[in-house]
Amino acid sequence: MMKMVVGGRDTLIGPATDAAMALLQVRVDSGDAATIARLHANAVDRFEAAGFPRAQAEQALAMIDVPEAWGARKLRSASDLRALHIPVLAIYGTKDTLVDDAPAARAALANNRRAQIVMLDGLGHSFQEGAVAGEPDEASRLGPYLGSPRLVAVVGDWLRDALWSKTGTGMGQVR
């Protein structure tokens, strides 16, 4: 979303993303109210600096600063995948304008023989068929989130393969 607003200028996107992540991490860590307020104000300022009007910056931050995010034990990035030695399925849509860390995930999982990274052509962030540009406002017009039959098939096949080896003894290697 930010890349679309500021024309992909990483020098403006990075500080805004970092400020939002710092706020969410303090929420996850149950930080005090004063710290949360300071980080919230900083994140809004950074969104403004990246090209959002203040009201839109507040609204964008409100979309991600939610209890569902605070409930996470620790925020993870693609680089954290390197530590995993379990079966991993990472799925990305080629038209996703919000998450573009498939190359980082691929590098992080390179030594995990039980990891699989799948790029679904033509799907945006919400994994819906029919995405044209992959922009966030498209999602509301495309039907149910996670509604792509291709997504369901990939996840189903991966679960089957990850949970059952050829001998039926449990966690097998993903093909």
Side-chain angles (χ1 to χ4, degrees):
M1 180 173 62
M2 291 180 64
K3 284 184 180 181
M4 293 181 323
V5 171
V6 298
R9 294 187 315 205
D10 289 334
T11 56
L12 298 176
I13 296 166
T17 302
D18 291 345
M21 293 302 288
L23 170 62
L24 292 178
Q25 189 63 61
V26 168
R27 292 275 202 188
V28 168
D29 295 338
S30 301
D32 62 89
T35 301
I36 290 170
R38 181 179 50 78
L39 291 173
H40 183 274
N42 182 52
V44 171
D45 290 345
R46 297 294 181 173
F47 272 82
E48 277 189 293
F52 285 84
R54 186 161 194 89
Q56 192 177 22
E58 289 278 3
Q59 182 181 17
L61 193 55
M63 290 173 59
I64 62 170
D65 187 14
V66 295
E68 292 82 4
W70 313 336
R73 287 278 184 215
K74 184 176 178 189
L75 298 174
R76 300 283 183 190
S77 67
S79 63
D80 293 325
L81 294 172
R82 185 174 289 111
L84 297 178
H85 303 289
I86 60 173
V88 175
L89 174 62
I91 305 173
Y92 298 90
T94 60
K95 292 194 178 201
D96 190 338
T97 59
L98 301 177
V99 177
D100 61 356
D101 62 351
R106 186 170 277 108
L109 292 168
N111 293 322
N112 184 341
R113 295 178 314 137
R114 298 185 299 168
Q116 182 178 3
I117 297 175
V118 176
M119 298 294 297
L120 292 176
D121 190 41
L123 298 187
H125 186 70
S126 299
F127 296 106
Q128 300 160 297
E129 296 291 343
V132 175
E135 296 175 7
D137 65 341
E138 255 184 349
S140 63
R141 298 187 306 264
L142 294 176
Y145 284 19
L146 307 173
S148 168
R150 293 184 291 149
L151 172 70
V152 174
V154 165
V155 172
D157 291 347
W158 183 85
L159 282 170
R160 181 197 62 228
D161 293 346
L163 295 173
W164 299 102
S165 68
K166 290 183 181 180
T167 60
T169 58
M171 297 299 283
Q173 183 176 339
V174 176
R175 291 185 265 155

